[in-house]
Amino acid sequence: MNPDELLAAYDEQLRTDAETPGAASVTRLGPLRLVTFAGGRGFITYQDLGDADADEIRRLVGEALEHYRADPGITKVEWKTRGHDRAPGLHQALLENGFVQEESESIMIGEAKLLAGEVELPDGVTLRKVTEPDDVLAMCRMQGEVFGDEPGDAEQMTQAMLSRLAKDDGMELWVAEADGVIVSAGRLEPVAGTEFAGVWGGSTRPEWRGKGIYRALTAARANSALARGKSLMNSDSTEFSRPILERSGLLKVSTTTPYEWRR
């Protein structure tokens, strides 16, 4: 599949309710899907904005934010943009409403078999799936440290992940450990009703990078995706993980930039 075909599959198959497994609720506002997750997280996404002009988009941004402001349990909201969308005036409208632009990432897509296989790990490093609360908390705290999250975010994310695990919707949490300490982690998100499984949350402690651990963790998740009948993999990748996925044959088809609002 060429990049245009992969991007079309992404837009058609993933930019639906399939994009937000584990949502506590979803409210429609025109083309927008206003999603609420456990732990006080809001998430705004859409398949496209149609022919909306800058004035209409400004109105949608304001009304979407009011939806979340009305719920005191919501502490932060992410608006997920994509670089290939037609969205006149969206950047300015988000800033005017108090959203802060975060770092852009590459949307990577390719065949799962390209990522699969076995990758040699450094001595003393092992991989496993985790499901127990203490393990999930340790994983979320490590990821929070690597990503520079706010204090308390790890605890909120832990509750969200445990809620997902209790639903048994296919999500898998994977960690790499050295001497009992988590040094890398990520999750697998098989998307029901599609060809896709996503690899998300990939993070490795700085002192453990460049040793093949992230690649091994990704291969383990790809092997699991293939076993579940998924043929395509997708990931929103930082500049740390993008080159690794590119070397495995995945293609950059667009970019995504989150904008975040906090109460």
Side-chain angles (χ1 to χ4, degrees):
M1 299 177 72
N2 63 43
D4 289 342
E5 292 171 326
L6 292 170
L7 184 58
Y10 170 86
D11 282 339
E12 292 166 9
Q13 297 186 41
L14 295 184
R15 297 180 71 176
T16 66
D17 283 335
E19 184 180 6
T20 52
S25 67
V26 179
T27 300
R28 296 302 300 259
L29 175 63
L32 306 181
R33 289 171 44 249
L34 310 182
V35 184
T36 298
F37 289 106
R41 295 189 301 120
F43 182 76
I44 301 170
T45 185
Y46 40 88
Q47 194 161 53
D48 63 64
L49 295 172
D51 296 326
D53 60 17
D55 288 340
E56 174 67 7
I57 287 175
R58 184 177 297 107
R59 181 188 67 80
L60 286 170
V61 172
E63 291 185 12
L65 186 55
E66 283 307 307
H67 167 82
Y68 289 109
R69 283 186 184 276
D71 182 351
I74 297 295
T75 59
K76 62 181 179 179
V77 179
E78 177 187 334
W79 185 300
K80 187 179 180 73
T81 72
R82 275 84 168 191
H84 62 287
D85 284 346
R86 176 192 172 279
L90 178 58
H91 169 77
Q92 188 60 35
L94 289 169
L95 297 184
E96 288 173 356
N97 280 273
F99 285 83
V100 176
Q101 182 178 349
E102 305 291 329
E103 184 177 353
S104 296
E105 296 182 334
S106 300
I107 299 175
M108 307 294 296
I109 306 179
E111 296 180 79
K113 64 183 181 183
L114 299 175
L115 292 174
E118 298 297 328
V119 177
E120 185 176 356
L121 286 162
D123 290 342
V125 177
T126 57
L127 303 182
R128 66 182 176 105
K129 286 191 290 186
V130 297
T131 58
E132 294 299 316
D134 287 348
D135 290 331
V136 177
L137 177 59
M139 170 183 167
C140 290
R141 282 177 172 167
M142 187 281 294
Q143 290 176 315
E145 291 173 14
V146 172
F147 290 137
D149 291 345
E150 296 289 329
D153 284 356
E155 285 69 21
Q156 289 186 348
M157 183 58 70
T158 298
Q159 291 306 310
M161 293 296 100
L162 291 174
S163 176
R164 290 284 309 283
L165 289 171
K167 293 178 181 178
D168 193 23
D169 61 6
M171 181 191 71
E172 298 176 0
L173 304 180
W174 286 81
V175 300
E177 293 173 307
D179 296 323
V181 176
I182 296 175
V183 299
S184 185
R187 70 184 189 273
L188 177 73
E189 296 269 9
V191 185
T194 76
E195 303 170 82
F196 282 91
V199 283
W200 300 98
S203 51
T204 305
R205 292 187 183 277
E207 65 272 23
W208 288 93
R209 293 173 186 162
K211 302 178 185 296
I213 299 174
Y214 173 80
R215 174 71 183 91
L217 200 66
T218 301
R221 289 179 287 171
N223 290 333
S224 184
L226 287 168
R228 291 175 174 269
K230 301 302 181 183
S231 59
L232 294 176
M233 304 289 288
N234 70 291
S235 176
D236 293 350
S237 300
T238 67
E239 286 306 292
F240 290 112
S241 56
R242 177 190 56 78
I244 300 171
L245 299 179
E246 282 183 331
R247 287 195 292 270
S248 298
L250 269 64
L251 300 177
K252 178 179 178 178
V253 299
S254 187
T255 59
T256 178
T257 305
Y259 289 72
E260 188 172 274
W261 173 88
R262 286 182 178 263
R263 189 176 294 277

